[in-house]
Amino acid sequence: MISIAIPVGPHPSNTRWLGECIASIAEQTMPVDDIVLVCDGADLDDRDYPTCRIYRPPWKLGVAHGFNFGVALAKHDLVIMLGSDDRLMPECVAECWRTWQQIHD
């Protein structure tokens, strides 16, 4: 019901906390079935991120366009955009979903 888009750039700092970011998604009280990593020059191995879809654009995007591509590739209408160094509190996705249901927008 909710997608998460994460652009990942080429600098080592962009992948340093990516594992923790994805772990915080796995720890949500409401499961997330669509995580899109927009690989913007990062050296990502698909085997390291089995719960994610990895999109590799044919040219360098930059962070803002990386987020836009992630939203465009998302399976769901509601998309949470995260930096690769962000972590979610366990109730975050459920709260976003409850708010989405209240405002229907």
Side-chain angles (χ1 to χ4, degrees), residues 6 39 103:
I6 307 169
C39 183
I103 62 173

Side-chain angles (χ1 to χ4, degrees), residues 55-74:
Y55 173 73
R56 291 177 173 82
W59 58 85
K60 180 90 170 89
L61 298 174
V63 175
H65 290 298
F67 279 125
N68 290 340
F69 270 73
V71 170
L73 294 165

